[in-house]
Amino acid sequence: MAKKAYFIGNWKMNHGISGTKSYFERFLPEISKVDLSKKVVGIAPPFTSLAFARKLTEGSPVKLCAQNACFAEKGAYTGEVSPLMLKELGVEYVILGHSERRHIFGETNELIKKRVKGVYQAGLTPILCVGETLEERKLGNTFLVVSEQLKQGLSELEKVEEGRLIIAYEPVWAIGTGVNATPEQAEEVHFFLRDLLASMYGKDLAQTIPILYGGSVTPENIADLIKEPNVDGVLVGGASLDPEKFLKVVSVAI
Ligand code: PGA
């Protein structure tokens, strides 16, 4: 079976209960008209909207995603949410190591690798985010930075089953700035990441791991980005907040 393209909307800290309700009232009737035979569509609402989103999306093609998760199953971890709790809610994918977690909340590769392992072991699929800052890119350190983030983030996963891991390349300078990486810039890094994954898990498995691009994806630039051979989908922030915009992104011809 050909690989599916992934379209994951990351709402970040937006859409509480009422926002979630009006979003899905507009989104669900339309998404059922989109040909999803070669696509996976997911939404990552904030934690407090997850249970409600689950109720609304049950029976729909929309996959439920979370924006973070603890490494532990339960216990004294104030402020954290366990992967098992997310699983109980019907969450399938968990975004980990997002640049906002790294840069605003100080999450390190050390912490992120533990989260990746915990999420994987709970039977959920981690979406591990990597990406360089503008300064790192200007210094020519893009490959160094993303390879460290990838290698360290995955260092506790000796083996990966097919379909159980997703990578997202999100250059920090492209997130929320309106300046997306060009398709060529994205492809260059995705190709590099694929190679690195092949060195870790073998070529065959690496081919099956979706590598998503994220950073100012819009209905206007999706068609060119998704054409690149190693861009297997997108992680969409701002443009996923509006159901009509996200529908346009998801409806791109592939
Ligand atoms: P953006 O965010 O689409 O608003 O740039 C992407 C992300 O942070 O995942």
Side-chain angles (χ1 to χ4, degrees), residues 99 131-138 142 169-182 185-186 189 213-216:
S99 88
E132 81 289 0
T133 64
L134 187 58
E135 200 185 352
E136 288 163 342
R137 175 164 278 261
K138 280 185 180 158
T142 298
Y169 169 55
E170 298 207 303
V172 180
W173 49 270
I175 296 178
T177 58
V179 182
N180 61 288
T182 64
Q185 284 172 323
V189 178
Y213 167 77
S216 297

Side-chain angles (χ1 to χ4, degrees), residues 142-214:
T142 298
F143 295 123
L144 192 71
V145 170
V146 297
S147 72
E148 273 311 294
Q149 290 173 336
L150 190 85
K151 283 194 283 194
Q152 289 199 42
L154 298 178
S155 59
E156 306 252 326
L157 293 190
E158 273 165 41
K159 274 199 211 144
V160 172
E161 279 170 43
E162 193 173 330
R164 295 289 321 286
L165 175 67
I166 297 177
I167 305 299
Y169 169 55
E170 298 207 303
V172 180
W173 49 270
I175 296 178
T177 58
V179 182
N180 61 288
T182 64
E184 296 73 27
Q185 284 172 323
E187 174 62 20
E188 188 185 29
V189 178
H190 285 222
F191 182 85
F192 174 80
L193 293 172
R194 179 94 56 210
D195 219 37
L196 206 54
L197 289 167
S199 72
M200 296 162 75
Y201 301 119
K203 213 170 167 191
D204 289 349
L205 190 85
Q207 285 305 330
T208 71
I209 298 175
I211 306 178
L212 318 186
Y213 167 77

Side-chain angles (χ1 to χ4, degrees), residues 55-155:
K55 226 167 110 181
L56 298 175
T57 57
E58 222 162 3
S60 86
V62 177
K63 308 279 186 191
L64 207 53
C65 313
Q67 298 177 16
N68 207 355
C70 190
F71 43 83
E73 290 183 356
K74 62 176 181 174
Y77 300 97
T78 302
E80 290 284 314
V81 175
S82 128
L84 289 183
M85 294 170 178
L86 297 172
K87 196 174 175 187
E88 201 180 353
L89 274 178
V91 167
E92 292 180 57
Y93 303 92
V94 184
I95 298 169
L96 295 170
H98 187 279
S99 88
E100 285 145 22
R101 297 304 317 168
R102 293 177 189 268
H103 297 287
I104 305 175
F105 299 99
E107 290 199 12
T108 59
N109 285 327
E110 276 296 302
L111 174 59
I112 292 161
K113 75 178 185 200
K114 287 168 74 180
R115 292 193 191 276
V116 169
K117 185 183 182 191
V119 163
Y120 187 87
Q121 281 185 337
L124 303 175
T125 298
I127 303 177
L128 173 64
C129 302
V130 301
E132 81 289 0
T133 64
L134 187 58
E135 200 185 352
E136 288 163 342
R137 175 164 278 261
K138 280 185 180 158
L139 288 170
N141 289 338
T142 298
F143 295 123
L144 192 71
V145 170
V146 297
S147 72
E148 273 311 294
Q149 290 173 336
L150 190 85
K151 283 194 283 194
Q152 289 199 42
L154 298 178
S155 59

